[in-house]
Each structure stands twice: as structure tokens, then as C-alpha cells.
Amino acid sequence: MTLTGATRSKLSRNYSLMCPDSHVPLNLPQWKNCQVIYTASPEMGAKFCQFLVNMKAGGSFCSESQTDEFLLLVLEGAIELTFGGATHRLQQDGFAHLKAGERFELKNPGDTGRILAFQKKYAPMPGATGAVISFVSSLAQTSAKPFLGDDGALLQTLLPEDSAWDWGVNVFEFQPGATLPIVEMHFMEHGLYFLQGQGVYRLGSDWHLVEQGDAIWMGPYLEQWFAATGKISSKYIYYKEMNRAPG
Ligand code: UGY
Ligand code: MN
């Protein structure tokens, strides 16, 4: 029996863990027929937003931001995304990058749809190489590489790494028993969502049991380490600041 009043969710000065049992869905006017659950935002100290959207049948959204870039991942269902005069049907595992100022529309033509979104203000850099573009793809179409030579920890890099891009979004898959090779400490923040499996996350001096559906915000310089447990591989998607110096 679940003990009422207990949760693994926690908000600290420089990190948060939000578990599904703490979700309070919001109705926002821009998201018609949808429920939105923010799991990271400036109110907790993050410099970006991460949120989940449950899209009911006919649910829709039309972007209005001139400044923000978005990364959308379909967790469930099939969502229609329109931008640049074309409509794309994104199935589960499909993702889209929308560059800052791109006007786009989302629609759920099916019964239920669920998406994960990362949203942040784009930071331009004079003289940067490459061009930031809007595109659609899927996790299945994205290659995975061993992280620092470890076959048990595979990394998928979803976005190009040219210096025009100020963020990265990656998917990490760990075989049971695999770990991050070091306790990392860096100025870049992370927003993270567990797609599959379970494990132990070290966040600062705290150790948390984590599993599919959990969301984490890691603030600057937070000590972080992960070990995958359970019988299937653990998979998480995470956002990271890229190509920009602090300050
Ligand atoms: O890219 C990263 O900083 C990544 N290795 N961090 C993490 O998984 N917590
Ligand atoms: Mn990290």
C-alpha cells in the first residue's frame, strides 16, 4: 500500500527531483485541451523550462515566442507538427527541434498524446559556425556511441554541435550496473527526464532512487553521478548548455 504523505520528490537549493506522484496538471490558455506539468522553470532556480504535456483528443498549441527554442519529444501517441509550410507526423520517439522565433503548431489528431518539452531563450554568438535550424527526426534514426569508450553507456547526441547551437539534448542509455565514469561537476545546468528503467542518482550529497517518469533539474556545479540498476537498461534524455562560456 502506498503511504499517504510520502514521496521521493524533492526540491533543494540547486536541484530538484519531481516524481509522477507529485504532478499537478495545469490548464494553460495557449495549450488547448491539454494538461501541462512543469518539472523545471526559473521559479526553482533553473534558467530554462522543462515540461510534460498530456494532449487530449484535438489538443493543440501555437507557439508565440520570438526568443525561445524548443526541443519536443513524443512520449506517447502521434502528434502533428506544422512549421515552415509543412506538416510532420511525429510518432512515439519522434522529436523536433524548433529554432528561436520559428512559428509552429502542434495538434493531437488521436486519442491521447504525451510530449516532453525543453524550452529556453536562445543565446546568439557573433562569429559562430553552422546555422541553427528547425528539423524533425526520431531517436531510432539517431546513432549511439559508447561514452568515453564504455560499451555499457551509450550516448545519442540529438542536435548538431556547431558553435551556433547554444544547447545540446542527448539520450544516455546505461546497461544494468553501468555508471557515469566520474562524479561530474560543471557550470552547465541539466534538465533530465527518465525514459526507461531505474537507478541511483547522486545529486550533491544526496542519493536518490530514480525510475521511468522522474524528472530532474541539476543546477550549476552540482555534483552528479548515476548508476543503473534493475534488469533492463536505463535511459534518460537530458538538456545541457553548450558552446557558451559562463557569465
Ligand atoms: O553531458 C553531461 O554532462 C552528462 N554526462 N551528465 C549527466 O549525465 N548527468
Ligand atoms: Mn553532466
Side-chain angles (χ1 to χ4, degrees):
M1 193 177 78
T2 311
L3 189 61
T4 310
T7 181
R8 290 178 297 108
S9 298
K10 178 166 178 172
L11 175 63
S12 284
R13 183 190 64 79
N14 55 358
Y15 80 81
S16 73
L17 166 64
M18 194 185 291
C19 307
D21 60 2
S22 299
H23 287 176
V24 178
L26 264 181
N27 295 317
L28 290 178
Q30 303 91 325
W31 290 90
K32 296 193 173 49
N33 227 1
C34 295
Q35 291 180 320
V36 185
I37 299 141
Y38 277 85
T39 58
S41 73
E43 285 73 14
M44 66 171 58
K47 296 195 291 293
F48 64 96
C49 288
Q50 179 181 330
F51 53 97
L52 294 158
V53 186
N54 297 322
M55 298 185 81
K56 297 176 194 159
S60 65
F61 171 73
C62 186
S63 77
E64 278 155 22
S65 174
Q66 293 298 314
T67 55
D68 290 9
E69 51 200 354
F70 290 79
L71 189 289
L72 309 173
L73 172 71
V74 178
L75 300 174
E76 204 185 311
I79 306 296
E80 279 177 9
L81 166 66
T82 304
F83 66 92
T87 297
H88 308 265
R89 193 176 161 84
L90 293 178
Q91 310 278 359
Q92 187 179 337
D93 271 20
F95 69 87
H97 179 266
L98 286 316
K99 67 179 181 186
E102 185 81 73
R103 217 186 123 71
F104 67 92
E105 281 178 36
L106 288 169
K107 204 177 218 176
N108 176 24
D111 281 346
T112 49
R114 194 166 151 78
I115 61 170
L116 168 71
F118 297 98
Q119 175 183 357
K120 78 178 249 336
K121 190 168 283 191
Y122 176 63
M125 191 178 75
T129 60
V132 180
I133 55 163
S134 300
F135 69 97
V136 296
S137 186
S138 69
L139 300 188
Q141 278 175 269
T142 310
S143 59
K145 292 197 193 91
F147 184 63
L148 300 176
D150 180 357
D151 289 341
L154 298 179
L155 190 69
Q156 289 176 293
T157 308
L158 307 190
L159 304 181
E161 290 171 54
D162 307 279
S163 60
W165 295 72
D166 69 337
W167 67 344
V169 179
N170 305 328
V171 172
F172 233 141
E173 179 164 13
F174 297 82
Q175 292 307 313
T179 68
L180 274 179
I182 58 168
V183 179
E184 296 181 7
M185 197 173 172
H186 46 66
F187 79 86
M188 303 85 79
E189 290 185 278
H190 289 317
L192 182 156
Y193 181 78
F194 266 87
L195 297 169
Q196 179 182 302
Q198 58 177 272
V200 178
Y201 230 107
R202 176 175 171 176
L203 300 167
S205 50
D206 300 336
W207 301 76
H208 289 278
L209 299 176
V210 290
E211 63 173 347
Q212 189 204 338
D214 290 350
I216 296 176
W217 161 61
M218 295 180 221
Y221 298 108
L222 181 77
E223 305 95 316
Q224 56 198 257
W225 181 82
F226 177 68
T229 58
K231 293 203 187 313
I232 59 164
S233 65
S234 302
K235 218 180 196 184
Y236 60 72
I237 182 168
Y238 69 100
Y239 145 71
K240 176 179 185 170
E241 294 157 278
M242 293 279 285
N243 291 317
R244 301 292 182 270

